[in-house]
Amino acid sequence: MPVPAYRLILWNVDHTLLDAARVTREAYAEAFEQVTGRPMVRLAPTAGRNESEIIFETLAFNGIATSDDHLEAFVRALEAAYSTRRDKVRSFGRVLPGAAEAVGAATALPGVVQSVLTGSLEAAARIKLGELGLDRMLDLSVGGYFSPVYPKGAAIEMSRISAGRKYGTVFAESATVLVADHPLDVRAARIARARVLAVATGAVTESELRTAGADAVLPTLADTATVLHTLDRLTST
């Protein structure tokens, strides 16, 4: 008899599961020019951040006086730019070592539901995951994505609530784990009282992730057995 769902694993997308940095920059450049009529010279840092932070900082870096109207227009343009780059995600994006194997192995954990938690646009996340073949193992309908209103910590809580409604259960804070690669993600999980498995697959070291307060830190997702054991441990206590 299947074990009822009781634990929730949320995977960060960019720099944790996959790398599509080239496509991201191209999409931002197209959206920037469409919104401002000028070429983008500099893209703001993206790691660990919400889309609105990246958009407003990119506008500022390029000498654009920002307003609230910019966000809605930029989001629409960015969604369109990603939608025309599906082939480039397949050509230039890549699944990070061990990511597909880790997600696949975690599906065997008793009572598990897997989704994503990202500061990116939902449309962009779905395109990246779909084109690189990771979406089949994840329930993206209960994921947490960019919101102009809610920070990442709140998005984790909202994902937990959405998953609870869909699966007819309660996912305890202690049975929710975020797998991510940046101290800002660790902080968001702490706000939501979720557990954190941090991986040094982005621009941050293992030491920095430990200092940020992650419950467990691994260099990559390449050791499937260790990833699975860690996820099991973090969501069983």
Side-chain angles (χ1 to χ4, degrees):
M1 186 174 186
V3 176
Y6 71 91
R7 49 182 160 189
L8 180 64
I9 300 174
L10 299 172
W11 299 84
N12 180 57
V13 178
D14 291 286
H15 310 300
T16 299
L17 292 178
L18 58 86
D19 179 0
R22 174 172 172 172
V23 180
T24 296
R25 182 173 179 84
E26 286 186 6
Y28 259 89
E30 180 179 315
F32 184 94
E33 188 158 4
Q34 181 177 330
V35 171
T36 69
R38 292 167 46 180
M40 184 186 78
V41 176
R42 180 181 175 191
L43 176 64
T46 61
R49 308 177 79 194
N50 271 328
E51 210 80 71
S52 57
E53 297 174 282
I54 303 168
I55 290 170
F56 281 126
E57 195 165 301
T58 296
L59 289 166
F61 281 172
N62 289 272
I64 303 296
T66 60
S67 69
D68 290 341
D69 293 337
H70 276 117
L71 181 59
E72 184 177 352
F74 209 115
V75 165
R76 288 198 305 268
L78 197 55
E79 287 176 338
Y82 273 112
S83 70
T84 62
R85 286 174 168 76
R86 292 178 178 273
D87 59 333
K88 290 197 172 184
V89 173
R90 292 193 300 273
S91 298
F92 301 115
R94 65 186 180 99
V95 178
L96 294 180
E101 293 81 359
V103 176
T107 62
L109 290 173
V112 73
V113 172
Q114 296 190 90
S115 191
V116 296
L117 190 288
T118 175
S120 298
L121 302 178
E122 180 174 354
R126 285 179 175 272
I127 287 170
K128 293 172 187 177
L129 293 164
E131 296 305 321
L132 294 177
L134 293 170
D135 59 334
R136 297 185 298 272
M137 298 177 283
L138 301 165
D139 185 350
L140 300 182
S141 71
V142 298
Y145 306 94
F146 162 69
S147 165
V149 178
Y150 300 107
K152 276 188 179 179
I156 294 172
E157 180 61 26
M158 293 171 68
S159 179
R160 184 189 288 131
I161 292 170
S162 294
R165 287 174 178 164
K166 179 170 182 177
Y167 290 91
T169 189
V170 174
F171 292 95
E173 294 171 345
S174 61
T176 302
V177 62
L178 174 64
V179 187
D181 62 272
H182 198 277
L184 291 174
D185 297 311
V186 176
R187 185 175 70 179
R190 286 299 178 213
I191 291 171
R193 300 180 183 275
R195 302 294 178 85
V196 189
L197 167 56
V199 289
T201 49
V204 179
T205 66
E206 292 180 62
S207 177
E208 289 173 301
L209 292 168
R210 290 191 186 92
T211 300
D215 295 287
V217 179
L218 297 174
T220 70
L221 294 171
D223 186 340
T224 304
T226 298
V227 173
L228 190 63
H229 172 76
T230 305
L231 292 172
D232 189 24
R233 174 175 61 82
L234 290 178
T235 56
S236 296
T237 57

